[in-house]
Amino acid sequence: MAPHRLNRAPRWLMPALAGLVPGLIAGGAIAAVLLPPRIVERPPDPARLIAAVHANLRAQGVLNVLTLNPVAVVTAESGSFLFATKRILVMPGRVRYLVDLRAVPLRDVRWNAAARRLVVVLPPLALEGPAVDVRAVRTLGEGGLLSGLVDAAQELDAANLRTGQNELVRQAHDPQLLAQARSAARRLVRSAYAAPLSAAGVPATIDVRFADDPPAP
């Protein structure tokens, strides 16, 4: 049997092929130069992003979540009848509710990749104050003959001062105000993590709690 013979290209086609091959090569080179390279973006790493936000928050130090300006109005009296004397003290103060972000270790920022859930545990809320605005303190007096005695007035003012300071402390520890401050802290810290995660396209549920929160039922 005669061996199978390959069909050769016609002679008129050979010069055309010879000119086509360099053209294809040149065209490929031009396309490689003109067309931008295809960039393959890696999906963001949520754990690294969360760690960066945590480091930034720690660098900020202490977070002021709420400032309160309570006013204590207290009254002290002495004597009776013609000798009755009353002294009224109006004492403005200032209280700041703080969260020390420096006291949040990375182990208290827990990312569950499977559940897409972030849990941040904050240290207990701290109170600064109450600080008394001495220049704004006002003393009002009324009453009988003792009201003109300097020693009696000073004694009543000192009693009012102690009572006023205790009243400011009582107002600062009001349960509703403490709850408001804790809610503000949760909201601020949650937003600090939610914004970059959302910008990176990472869906996440963020739970911010305090170390001294009562256990969930």
Side-chain angles (χ1 to χ4, degrees), residues 118-153:
L118 175 64
V119 177
V120 181
V121 181
L122 301 177
L125 194 70
L127 272 68
E128 181 185 80
V132 177
D133 187 355
V134 178
R135 294 174 298 180
V137 173
R138 296 292 180 267
T139 302
L140 307 174
E142 63 180 45
L145 300 178
L146 284 179
S147 60
L149 300 179
V150 176
D151 291 343

Side-chain angles (χ1 to χ4, degrees), residues 40-46 200 202:
V40 179
E41 295 185 357
R42 295 182 178 180
D45 183 355
V202 179

Side-chain angles (χ1 to χ4, degrees), residues 2-216:
H4 179 70
R5 297 177 61 185
L6 296 175
N7 294 326
R8 295 182 179 180
R11 293 183 178 181
W12 60 267
L13 187 58
M14 298 301 295
L17 290 175
L20 181 61
V21 173
L24 290 174
I25 297 175
I30 294 174
V33 173
L34 296 181
L35 294 178
R38 183 179 180 184
I39 300 176
V40 179
E41 295 185 357
R42 295 182 178 180
D45 183 355
R48 294 183 62 181
L49 185 58
I50 290 168
V53 175
H54 168 260
N56 183 56
L57 289 177
R58 281 176 59 93
Q60 291 184 25
V62 178
L63 177 65
N64 180 15
V65 298
L66 183 65
T67 299
L68 174 68
N69 298 106
V71 177
V73 180
V74 294
T75 302
E77 299 183 48
S78 67
S80 59
F81 299 109
L82 294 177
F83 297 96
T85 299
K86 178 187 295 185
R87 301 283 286 183
I88 302 172
L89 185 70
V90 180
M91 178 187 294
R94 188 184 71 168
V95 181
R96 296 202 306 161
Y97 299 84
L98 310 171
V99 175
D100 189 357
L101 299 175
R102 300 166 299 183
V104 182
L106 189 56
R107 66 175 179 272
D108 284 344
V109 182
R110 308 159 190 166
W111 169 246
N112 187 325
R116 295 284 177 176
R117 184 180 185 85
L118 175 64
V119 177
V120 181
V121 181
L122 301 177
L125 194 70
L127 272 68
E128 181 185 80
V132 177
D133 187 355
V134 178
R135 294 174 298 180
V137 173
R138 296 292 180 267
T139 302
L140 307 174
E142 63 180 45
L145 300 178
L146 284 179
S147 60
L149 300 179
V150 176
D151 291 343
Q154 290 180 344
E155 182 178 346
L156 293 178
D157 289 344
N160 274 342
L161 183 62
R162 292 189 296 270
T163 305
Q165 290 174 333
N166 292 335
E167 172 62 16
L168 291 179
V169 171
R170 186 197 66 78
Q171 293 184 32
H173 287 82
D174 181 84
Q176 292 184 352
L177 287 174
L178 291 174
Q180 182 180 349
R182 293 163 79 94
S183 178
R186 293 189 186 97
R187 184 172 59 253
L188 290 171
V189 174
R190 185 183 299 112
S191 298
Y193 284 96
L197 286 173
S198 177
V202 179
T205 300
I206 303 175
D207 180 17
V208 180
R209 62 186 65 171
F210 285 87
D212 57 350
D213 278 344

